[in-house]
Each structure stands twice: as structure tokens, then as C-alpha cells.
Amino acid sequence: MLPKRFKFLTTAFTLALAAQVLLPGRTSAAGKVIEQLPAPEWSYTLPDGLSFWGTIDTQQSMKRMFIPLVKTVTVSPSKKKSSGMLYASVDRINGSANWVSDYSDMANDQPFTAHGFHSASNGYSYFYKMKGGIPYDLTAVDPNGKRKWTKTITDSYTPVFLDNGNVSIRSGLSANRKTIAFTEYNQEGKQVSGLKLTGKWTTGILELLPNGYVMHQLIDKQDHIYSISVYRSLTALTTPLATYTVPKTVKDSYFQVHPLRGGSFLIQMSSKDARLLLGYDASGAKKWVRPLNKADRIDTTGNNYLIKSDNIYKLYSKDNQLLGKQQIGEAGDREWYSRITPSGEITVEKQYQWQERPAVIDPETFEGDIAKEDFYVLDPANLQIKYHLSTSWHDYETGHNYIYAGGGELYITKSYAPKTISKYMLK
């Protein structure tokens, strides 16, 4: 018989609200703190053998949530086998029209088989799986969970899912890589464009970005990147929007391009010697240059960009004007985790903040050990705190995955082998 402490782990997640503990005397300089979760709008529990996995990779469309899963099957009385090649599509409106897309092959899949899935804003989703190399298949699934079409990809490049809802597949058309092709398909699987490139385009690093821009990095004989050019699209490769050449004094550089809404973009250069962020307008004119510190991390939301350094956040416009600054937690605290959600908002969270242990603890239930969890939603316009959820949980109920969808819409699962997801509306 299991001890009482472990019996509590089998309690349904929707009953976990009773385990929340309110600590007296809590205040916040940033306004109202939500200390108690409201009643869930709905909860959805997965079928037996499945659990949510890697909720940080959750994607969403206007009406649906797409979440990675893991399944476990019994191979023999003494052996079990697991697979992460499946995902759930959850109805955001009422949590009822849910389905699971399973593209695993438990008998033949290898432990490190490359695979992935992606969703588009129109509710379509796509999955692919390498089959020991190339070729491999890309399959489209409609919002109702029905498989619509499959395309065979004859190269090792993963698909590029474009902001317009289409999918671009890159392939090398010859063994010596003297030709590169890009083929674009719409959600119905119909080809809408195709392009073959030769010459200089087959050298260096050529990458299509989700907004349709093209990044081309040139490499010298020592395999060092010395230049980057950004083009408006695959059909506008005659003249680059912008070109940046690495100073000769800078060694071992590499680049990232961050598109912003409206066509402007950022080029981030990193190397052993220097880190720079360069801002360009939609016509490709360089407008500003900002030196970066080694600890700075760059992300974008809408037409703005965010610099994160430990637990200090600074938001800038595309014109490099400071829009807001926010420090979450004590200075230098690196245990806060942040991300920009599909809705464009910034979330910051910290879990397992164990409180001072009381003098007396129930030896069977361990009630008394309490951990606090803080979850912030920051406004992408100025970094003001929109929501601050600060809850405290008994030992056996600590640890949650927070999935924010915008407008106060929050989804929560347990951290350990979660089977149930619940929707809450923050106010």
C-alpha cells in the first residue's frame, strides 16, 4: 500500500485548488496580486497511457492549442517503451473538441529519430519524422484532426512554416549541391511557387525566414563567416535590402536576423570579441547600432525588441527608443524563466520557492512544507505588469506548467507526468 503522501499524487488536477495555501501579509509594489486561482473554465484529461510533455513548445491558433505528448506502452511484463511523436490539439473555447495526432511507429522508431510538429494560425498543423535519413514525409492535419496531404521531402532540411500559413520545402537537387530549390505549398497541399538557385546561392548559408525574408551568409576558405545579406523574398534576390561585412578585427562571428512587424528587422552579430545589434527600416537603411553585453539575450514581440540580462528586462522600439524596464525578483537572481508567448506577451516565472519550514509537519501527508510559485505577464508595449499570479502549494502539489494565450487566458498542468490541463481566466 502506498503511503499517504504518494496517494495525493494521483488526485485529479482539478481538485488541486484545495491544496493552495494563502500566506498572510503578502504585498506587491506593482499592484494587485492574484493569490488564488479562480475556478477553471474547463479541464481536459488525456486518455490512458498519454501525458503532456514539453509544454514550453506549446503552439496555438485562434481557436486551438497544440501541445506535445508522450505515450508509454507495455512491451513485456518487465519492459515499457515511450515515444514523443504525437501531440494533442485542445479546443480553447470549451475544451471539448479535442483530438490526438499520433505519428509514432513503436516497433521501428529509433530513440533519437528527428521529428517535429508545427501549427499555423488557421488551425492547421503539420508533422514530420526522419526515417533514418532522407527522404522523409511532411503531413498536414486540418483543424478537425483529419490528415489532408503528405509530401515527401528529399533533403535533410526541415520545413519552413511561413507567417502566411504556407509551407516552404528546401531541397538540394544534386549530389554535389550545385542547385538548391525552394517549393512552397498552401494549406491544401497545392504548389504555389517553386524556385531553383545555382551559383553563389549554393555557397555559404542560405536561410528562408518565416516572414519571407532571405538571409545569406558568406563564408571564406577558412569556413569563417565574413558577410551577411538580407533580401526581401526569394523572388527579389537581385539586390539585397542590407549587407553587413564583419570587420577584419572580429573573429569567429555568427549572425541572427530578427524580423519585426511592418518589414523592419534587426541583425545580431556575435563573436568572441564583440556583440552588436543593428537596426534596419523596411527599406533596408541602417538606422542604429547598439553594443550588447555577453549576458544580453534578444527577442522580439510585434514591432519591438526585448533585451534580457539575468532578471532585468528592457523593451525598445524598432527605432531603438526605450519603452519600458522591469526587474523581476532580487538583483542578480538568475532563477527566473521568461519567454514571449504566441500572443506576443512576455511571461516570467519562478517555481519551487520553498518557504520557511514550520516546526511541526504531518509525518504522513507532509502538509506544512510550502513552496511559492510566481507567474508574471508583462505588457509587450511597455513592460508594465498585467497579471501577477502568486500561489503557494503544499509539498505534494508543487510544480506546474503555465501556458499563456493572451487576454488573461491561462492554461495550467502539473509538472510531473501531467495528464490534465485546465483553463483559467485571470482578472
Side-chain angles (χ1 to χ4, degrees), residues 180-195:
I180 293 176
F182 288 90
T183 307
E184 185 175 334
Y185 298 93
N186 63 17
Q187 67 182 35
E188 299 300 328
K190 296 180 180 179
Q191 181 177 332
V192 295
S193 68
L195 179 66

Side-chain angles (χ1 to χ4, degrees), residues 346-359:
I346 300 133
T347 62
V348 185
E349 65 181 84
K350 184 178 182 180
Q351 302 193 37
Y352 301 106
Q353 302 173 72
W354 295 103
Q355 306 301 295
E356 184 177 354
R357 198 173 204 192

Side-chain angles (χ1 to χ4, degrees), residues 359-413:
V360 179
I361 294 179
D362 188 313
E364 294 194 28
T365 66
F366 283 81
E367 287 192 7
D369 277 340
I370 294 173
K372 187 176 74 165
E373 298 177 5
D374 283 297
F375 178 81
Y376 291 85
V377 178
L378 306 183
D379 193 320
N382 52 24
L383 290 189
Q384 292 298 303
I385 296 174
K386 297 179 71 173
Y387 301 102
H388 177 193
L389 179 64
S390 184
T391 54
S392 296
W393 304 80
H394 286 300
D395 173 84
Y396 50 80
E397 288 291 352
T398 58
H400 297 87
N401 299 313
Y402 295 88
I403 307 168
Y404 189 69
E409 186 178 335
L410 177 66
Y411 298 81
I412 300 181
T413 72

Side-chain angles (χ1 to χ4, degrees), residues 22 74 154 188 192 262 274 359:
L22 297 184
T74 300
T154 58
E188 299 300 328
V192 295

Side-chain angles (χ1 to χ4, degrees), residues 62-273:
M62 290 296 294
K63 297 181 179 180
R64 308 199 68 83
M65 191 77 65
F66 300 86
I67 310 174
L69 303 179
V70 63
K71 74 173 180 179
T72 302
V73 298
T74 300
V75 179
S76 67
S78 60
K79 184 179 180 181
K80 292 184 177 181
K81 189 174 183 180
S82 298
S83 173
M85 298 182 192
L86 64 166
Y87 60 94
S89 178
V90 179
D91 174 13
R92 290 174 57 184
I93 307 303
N94 53 33
S96 59
N98 309 317
W99 46 264
V100 172
S101 179
D102 186 347
Y103 54 97
S104 65
D105 180 353
M106 300 299 284
N108 299 306
D109 288 339
Q110 299 301 310
F112 298 103
T113 298
H115 65 94
F117 81 94
H118 187 88
S119 71
S121 59
N122 55 18
Y124 270 68
S125 56
Y126 306 85
F127 65 82
Y128 63 91
K129 176 174 59 175
M130 304 290 187
K131 300 176 181 178
I134 53 177
Y136 67 99
D137 292 336
L138 170 71
T139 299
V141 183
D142 72 12
N144 298 316
K146 181 180 179 181
R147 296 187 182 186
K148 300 294 291 185
W149 51 264
T150 297
K151 302 293 181 184
T152 297
I153 300 177
T154 58
D155 215 323
S156 58
Y157 295 101
T158 57
V160 177
F161 300 95
L162 302 173
D163 293 342
N164 62 9
N166 293 344
V167 182
S168 180
I169 296 175
R170 171 182 169 168
S171 58
L173 299 182
S174 60
N176 55 7
R177 304 294 185 187
K178 291 186 177 181
T179 303
I180 293 176
F182 288 90
T183 307
E184 185 175 334
Y185 298 93
N186 63 17
Q187 67 182 35
E188 299 300 328
K190 296 180 180 179
Q191 181 177 332
V192 295
S193 68
L195 179 66
K196 295 181 181 179
L197 298 173
T198 58
K200 70 174 185 178
W201 304 108
T202 63
T203 63
I205 302 171
L206 185 65
E207 183 178 353
L208 176 64
L209 303 179
N211 73 334
Y213 279 17
V214 178
M215 176 178 69
H216 190 205
Q217 301 181 63
L218 296 180
I219 300 176
D220 62 22
K221 294 180 180 180
Q222 287 74 42
D223 290 331
H224 296 148
I225 298 171
Y226 67 87
S227 176
I228 181 175
S229 294
V230 178
Y231 298 82
R232 191 174 300 280
S233 70
L234 286 171
T235 59
L237 295 178
T238 303
T239 304
L241 279 171
T243 296
Y244 178 80
T245 300
V246 180
K248 293 183 179 180
T249 55
V250 176
K251 305 298 182 183
D252 300 324
S253 61
Y254 64 93
F255 290 94
Q256 291 175 275
V257 174
H258 305 279
L260 298 172
R261 185 184 302 156
S264 54
F265 59 95
L266 312 175
I267 294 180
Q268 181 181 347
M269 186 206 73
S270 302
S271 72
K272 293 181 179 179
D273 310 298

